[in-house]
Amino acid sequence: MKDYDIIVVGGGHAGIEAASASARQGFSTLMITQSLDAIGRLSCNPAIGGLAKGNLVREIDALGGEMGHLIDISQIQFRMLNKSRGPAVQAPRAQADKFTYSRNAKELMEHTKNLELFMDTVVDFLVEKGKVIGVVTERGWKISSRAVVLTTGTFMEGRIFIGEYDAPCGRLGEMAAQGLGKALREKGFDVGRMKTGTPARVAASSLDYDEMEIQPGDEEIVPFSFMTDEVTRPQRNCYITYTNEETHKIIRENMHRSPLYGGKIVGKGPRYCPSIEDKVVRFPDRERHQIFVEPEGINTEEMYLNGLSSSLPEEVQRKFMRTLPGLRHCEIMRPAYAVEYDYLNPQDLLPSLESKHLENLFIAGQTNGTSGYEEAAAQGLMAGLNAGLKLRGEAPLILSRTEAYIGVLIDDLVTKGTKEPYRMFTSRAEYRLSLRHDNADQRLTRKAYEKGACDKERLEKLEEKLKAMDCVKELVKSYKERGKNGLALLKEPEITMDYISSHVAKLNDYPRYIRNEVELDIKYSGYLKRQEIEVDRFLKNESILIPDDFDYDALEGLSAESREKLKNIRPHSVGQAQRISGVRVSDIALLMIGVKSARKAKESENGSPE
Amino acid sequence: MEAYTTDEPIYALATAFAPSALSVVRTSGDNCIQMISKIFSSKKRLLEAKSKTLVHGYLQTLDGERIDEVVLSVYRKGQGYTGEEAVEISAHGSLSGLKRIFRALEDVGFRKAKRGEFTFRAFMHGRMDLTQAEAVEEIISSKSELSQAKALDRLEGRLRNRLEEYREKLLYILSSLEVQLDYAEDEIPEEWIFPEEEVDEIITGLERLLSSYDASSLYRDGAKIVLAGSTNAGKSSLFNLLMKENRAIVSSIPGTTRDYIEAWSDIRGIPIRLYDTAGLRESADEVESEGIKRSERLIEEADLILYLVDPIERKLPKEKRENMIILYSKSDIEKGEGLSISSQSGEGIEELFDEIEAFLTKGGRKLDDIVIDSERQRVELASTLETLRTVRALRRDTSVDVYALYFQSALEGIGAITGEVTNEELLDTLFSKFCVGK
Ligand SMILES: Cc1cc2nc3c(=O)[nH]c(=O)nc-3n(C[C@H](O)[C@H](O)[C@H](O)COP(=O)(O)OP(=O)(O)OC[C@H]3O[C@@H](n4cnc5c(N)ncnc54)[C@H](O)[C@@H]3O)c2cc1C
């Protein structure tokens, strides 16, 4: 008898989703984390969502996850980004009260049925016959389970850097999880180092607000969760300021004191979220860089300086920060720092996020080389869900690139791996026109329900929405002008739903988000049809499945490099094989023929007709 | 599709199977050097030969009987045309000699290559991309030197380079769009401006490539030229003149040319298929009227009709078609108005060639640039072009996510032409062309 069905290691954003997905399926679940006070802590920026990330949050929610709900009850500013650039890519983003978020997360975990929390650090796994059967903790507990989900974030052998100072931490002031990285290396896992950084927090009362631009939130707040009807939260402003020549000069003069340039940090950092040192070096011609000043909460003094992450010594940080308008008198409360940590090569994972090395071990979050709360949560959810499905003896839920950003995220990770912290972008999703944030429930909730990942209530909510959308469509259709009905009219660029609503009063009985969604569906139907062609093309190769036991060594003519890669990744379809970088087109051709003849051979073995 | 082993030793004649001074027989596959050494006089030198070197000696039968004096070009694995171990045999070109060489090769375990199999192997071993593979296919089947030269160009990757140019331009446009989509308005406030000039440039370039298909199909398939005119107008004499050899029976009895005769030739480098038809007249003779029906069909399908008119009879065609050149024959006897020719003296033939060339190459159907020539490439290119035209025509207040959709699909389209993007269909097409599989 095992102590638990599923153990989740880590209480970050991946851990929260993994643990609750496991518990929701009815499995007895234990979350072991280093500090109960740090559950759901927002390590870096005080915001959830953003471009592509906002879509991830809504997909997580559609699949029964917690993040959407948590941000709805913790936010202090809402904005819909890139409205002008098209409905398919606009995405919600909310500033969070960090402390509220974290407290809500902890309380949610505490009140989740089937879930227990325990404060300790996991230092090793219990392994039997190639399967993980439990964990060993720092304080010497051996706890057994049928499956383990690992979500160590920036903590596994973490080390932080501030100029010449460094310390074994996962976040400033929080101990790193030491021992596990070493144990995993010994077990043959492909462990690497990555780094990321965070800017300083300064005291709100030390800022000169009249020198900065105000950035208010939107009037209209769209909830992240499909289950939230209305968000009623106090709202706060953010501010914008800029660096200048003086700032850049100070940074340049002190560059040699950065651990990054001194070679102390070996891990690879993200290109798209560079430290201010990086920006100054890489874009010497830029006269200024934009900095967002964001409150970390409703009542806290701490203000986050988005865009100023740095690992320079504290006195240098203070000096360059005080050159920015609005920050001339700023007082640092927490310094900026960089963190370097162990990650595990995600190419060693199956698309279910189960390890190829160790059965029943699922891995999620920053441990897989990603960065960002939303990326972590998305993986955590899928890992927790698939661990449960595995225990039930069911096929894992694997989302396709065509149906969810989560599908893109996981496929990219397990197929291509990553050399720098992986962040979600809309451009990574080939079929993003249909991956809108507002239709995530239509894309995913039914699937989740069938797998037992969400409750009936969520499905009913979706059905209600679909019904309402149908009614709206009927009402739109009933409107006539110039011999055309409303559906045809809406396809014209000048005609909006508001215009039609002004003529069909009954439409106003339906909530705005429903009307918006119908409007987009109609306006985009032509483009979506076009995208369908591409999707079909894509799905053709996805549907040529490669048997699990396919023998690449027996496939003559494969180049040595491709053979190595294919054997390593073991793609489940020819489509996936094609996305492995460095595998040649001609090798894909060979593979197609090989797979087909293997299938034929099997068929004739079984005596079925051609 | 059958499982296709690529390393089986195969041979094929690389030059034409016709009497000539020199013929080249290619072999390829695992162990082929060792196998040939069994039928070669200087075994040791061959076995020790470095890659890309020549070995001189005699090919002989297994019994040691000399067949021919030859030069072998030796390629170790990874170096030759196919990427496999390979030997090219340059032999004297007598037909009987070649037959004996083939037999000797089969005796030591080679099999005759299927059509295009060498190319298939080269593709499979990553020695060439799709456009190159198709170029080889083209060389094999091309009918004139000019089109072979074009195919050779492509073998060197000129088409791919050109497409690569467009691909990069599209990629640049697309990335300027993606930046807008990946970053928020407050980070990158600039609005995206449709790069009309760049897009037009790509469109024009692709249009030119696309029209090259017509030209290249002209050069590959040849132009169908049908000789028509009343019986006795002198069609067969002209046919013979054009063919420069006596293939058709020339006779002055009406109806001698019972059916039509077809022959290949070329005019100013353009391959032509010339048809001499039976005279167009009502006939009671059953065989002949069948022939007449067939000639009528031929005329329907012709690229160009040369309508011969006897200058004395002056029987003009009932309907003048657009693709018809009226030509007076027998100018040595009497001159007609307009284009006149004498098949006896050859007078007027250059003027006729000028006319034919001008007609066939009008509208840019001239092979003077990079061309595409497979139907597959044409279809992909046409749809890419269509995509770009559509995006070009979109209202300028269309949102960037929609623009991105079109540019993305244009980019994919170009990838599909060069074969960077593979899909099953494409491979199926390719393989069927290369006769792989059942
Ligand atoms: C300094 C810094 C800068 C960052 N910068 C950015 C950025 O610029 N952009 C961005 O998108 N994201 C950034 N982040 C990353 C963001 O915080 C993470 O992506 C996200 O929190 C990852 O979630 P997670 O669940 O994978 O891990 P975390 O949120 O790190 O949570 C891991 C949890 O697991 C616990 N844990 C770890 N190992 C063990 C163990 N062995 N036993 C028990 N408990 C364990 C930890 O104590 C922690 O509570 C940054 C993080 C840090 C620390």
Side-chain angles (χ1 to χ4, degrees), chain A residues 169-195:
Chain A
C169 296
R171 277 186 291 247
L172 183 62
E174 288 180 62
M175 273 303 283
Q178 286 171 304
L180 188 57
K182 185 160 165 278
L184 291 180
R185 278 183 176 82
E186 282 167 10
K187 288 189 165 59
F189 281 80
D190 184 3
V191 190
R193 299 289 277 173
M194 274 193 185
K195 81 125 221 171

Side-chain angles (χ1 to χ4, degrees), chain A residues 343-357:
Chain A
Y343 79 100
L344 305 175
N345 182 359
Q347 287 175 303
D348 293 344
L349 297 175
L350 299 170
S352 62
L353 296 178
E354 183 176 3
S355 167
K356 292 177 193 166
H357 291 313

Side-chain angles (χ1 to χ4, degrees), chain A residues 10 12-14 34 43-44 120 122 152-154 196-197 273 337 366 372-373 376:
Chain A
H13 306 281
Q34 289 177 283
S43 322
C44 194
D120 203 345
V122 169
T152 55
T154 53
T196 184
C273 195
Y337 62 94
Q366 197 117 355
Y373 314 131

